[in-house]
Amino acid sequence: MHITLVAGARPNFIKLAPIIWATKKAKENGSDINYSLVYTGREDDPTVDANLFEQLEIPRPDIFLGVDCESINELTGKVMAAFDSYLERVTANDDSPHTVIVCDDLASTMAVAIVTKKRGLRLAHLVAGTRSFDINMPKEINRLVIDGLSDLMFTAGVNANSIATREGAELNKIYMVGNLLIDTLRHNYSRFCRPHCLEGLERYLVLTVNRKTLIADTTFMKDMVAVIEQEVKDTAVIAPLRPLAAKVIAPLLSPCSPIRIVDSMSYLEFGYLTSHAAGIITDSGNVAEEATFNSIPCITLNDYTEHIETVTIGSNVLVGSDTTLLRSSLSDIMAGKWKRSAIPDRWDGRTAERILQSLY
């Protein structure tokens, strides 16, 4: 059996790493299984750190499709053409069963899914059954298309299972395998590195902002910074921001602001930063998931989450763009009054094992 693992962005590698480890282990134990790792982007993509693969203990991708477009529709078309050429080559001299595994909900992921099914190959979707229920979001369309095409739907929790079945997916396609992010986190926990920016700090919060639509909302950005400065005061807020977010937020900071903008961190440094924080403010679902595993209070700057178990069971709360909710949630963190949380079912570090078992 040959597996093609497809990544469309940096976070995908973090989720695919456990499958690579599990595949190598299965092969060492005598299983007839091979894999290829494909990245839809460029080999010199600046968003993929040079040391990411070393830190995740996985090899660099076997194939870089080299697609880099601002237009989503143009990107979709170019990825479809490039991935079709890849499948033409890889399947020409290989008669073994072939499975393509795609991750999350990017336009490039949808493009790969379409080509896979046009080629008549088996398609598996990681983190299937996630929905925002906002059809105006491009990613929501991607999710619907990918899940609709998938032969195997690997879900992270009961809620995703319910969505998939409610939308008509056959039960024999759905596997609640757990959360791959947690596999990676558990594997690397003892390897996390304390960042230099924490020198002299015992207590701190973390702020991350990545969504372009949120960053473009200058009124909310200004109000958010003001609320954080008013509520946090003497506790440092470490903000590892990418250039776009840093450019917007830096001019909004007061002279004595607790917010400290730092450069983006490596995976192992960022893992330490978030797992030892007193609280997190973020717009990232992945960060919220890891916060739930670490039982760290987490405020999410979204009105929804694709992983509702982080709210119903975990340490996450949704405040969206409501600065009153942001203020009260920050106040709770600073006063140590956060809600009790637990770890959702199957966040046990064995997700990749369950996925491989489902492929045979």
Side-chain angles (χ1 to χ4, degrees):
M1 177 170 61
H2 189 95
I3 303 170
T4 292
L5 303 170
V6 184
R10 181 183 185 276
N12 293 167
F13 290 113
I14 298 170
K15 294 179 181 179
L16 291 172
I19 300 179
I20 294 173
W21 306 330
T23 301
K24 288 182 176 179
K25 183 177 179 181
K27 188 174 180 64
E28 290 169 359
N29 290 335
S31 295
D32 183 16
I33 186 169
N34 294 289
Y35 81 92
S36 299
L37 179 60
V38 175
Y39 183 44
T40 62
R42 306 194 322 259
E43 192 165 359
D44 61 345
D45 187 338
T47 67
V48 180
D49 356 331
N51 63 357
L52 176 65
F53 305 107
E54 179 183 348
Q55 295 203 345
L56 291 176
E57 299 180 315
I58 62 173
R60 289 176 61 79
D62 302 284
I63 300 291
F64 291 85
L65 298 184
V67 179
D68 181 20
C69 304
E70 287 294 327
S71 166
I72 292 177
N73 291 332
E74 182 183 0
L75 180 145
T76 302
K78 287 186 174 180
V79 170
M80 288 181 68
F83 191 69
D84 189 58
S85 296
Y86 160 79
L87 286 181
E88 180 74 33
R89 296 192 306 273
V90 79
T91 59
N93 301 311
D94 187 356
D95 296 327
S96 63
H98 198 115
T99 300
V100 176
I101 300 181
V102 296
C103 193
D104 290 336
D105 49 20
L106 302 171
S108 56
T109 308
M110 181 183 68
V112 167
I114 293 170
V115 171
T116 298
K117 294 312 297 175
K118 282 180 175 289
R119 284 274 175 181
L121 301 177
R122 184 167 66 164
L123 174 68
H125 186 200
L126 300 177
V127 202
T130 58
R131 297 288 185 273
S132 67
F133 301 104
D134 182 357
I135 201 64
N136 294 313
M137 291 181 60
K139 285 188 176 181
E140 187 75 352
I141 297 171
N142 298 343
R143 295 170 189 137
L144 289 165
V145 172
I146 299 163
D147 279 352
L149 293 173
S150 293
D151 301 290
L152 299 171
M153 300 171 66
F154 296 126
T155 68
V158 173
N159 187 66
N161 271 35
S162 299
I163 290 171
T165 54
R166 194 162 62 241
E167 292 179 353
E170 299 172 19
L171 290 176
N172 62 358
K173 289 185 175 182
I174 305 168
Y175 295 84
M176 193 178 89
V177 293
N179 193 325
L180 281 165
L181 273 179
I182 306 308
D183 282 33
T184 307
L185 190 152
R186 284 179 176 270
H187 178 85
N188 288 295
Y189 203 89
S190 63
R191 302 174 61 237
F192 286 161
C193 305
R194 184 179 172 90
H196 294 303
C197 64
L198 296 183
E199 187 173 350
L201 293 179
E202 294 183 3
R203 178 178 167 85
Y204 61 89
L205 303 183
V206 174
L207 170 66
T208 76
V209 182
N210 288 302
R211 283 194 299 124
K212 290 181 180 179
T213 52
L214 188 64
I215 295 169
D217 187 345
T218 53
T219 299
F220 175 72
M221 287 285 101
K222 183 177 179 179
D223 292 343
M224 178 194 74
V225 168
V227 168
I228 293 173
E229 291 183 341
Q230 291 163 12
E231 293 297 325
V232 176
K233 296 178 182 176
D234 297 329
T235 301
V237 179
I238 305 300
L241 302 177
R242 290 180 179 170
L244 179 61
K247 184 179 180 180
V248 170
I249 291 176
L252 303 176
L253 304 182
S254 65
C256 298
S257 177
I259 299 174
R260 304 182 186 180
I261 296 176
V262 299
D263 292 335
S264 296
M265 298 180 182
S266 70
Y267 173 76
L268 296 181
E269 288 179 322
F270 188 73
Y272 184 101
L273 182 78
T274 55
S275 62
H276 291 80
I280 298 171
I281 309 159
T282 187
D283 62 352
S284 165
N286 290 346
V287 172
E289 291 171 62
E290 294 182 354
T292 279
F293 178 79
N294 290 315
S295 297
I296 304 295
C298 183
I299 300 170
T300 297
L301 304 172
N302 295 333
D303 296 312
Y304 70 92
T305 174
E306 291 91 347
H307 301 281
I308 194 62
E309 61 270 23
T310 64
V311 176
T312 57
I313 299 172
S315 60
N316 187 25
V317 299
L318 305 177
V319 302
S321 56
D322 188 329
T323 51
T324 301
L325 282 177
L326 173 61
R327 186 183 299 279
S328 63
S329 297
L330 273 173
S331 177
D332 287 345
I333 289 177
M334 301 310 294
K337 296 179 179 179
W338 206 250
K339 64 176 179 174
R340 290 179 177 271
S341 65
I343 298 176
D345 186 28
R346 298 201 178 184
W347 287 28
D348 55 5
R350 301 184 60 189
T351 302
E353 294 177 26
R354 288 188 280 268
I355 288 172
L356 282 195
Q357 290 168 3
S358 303
L359 295 179
Y360 288 103

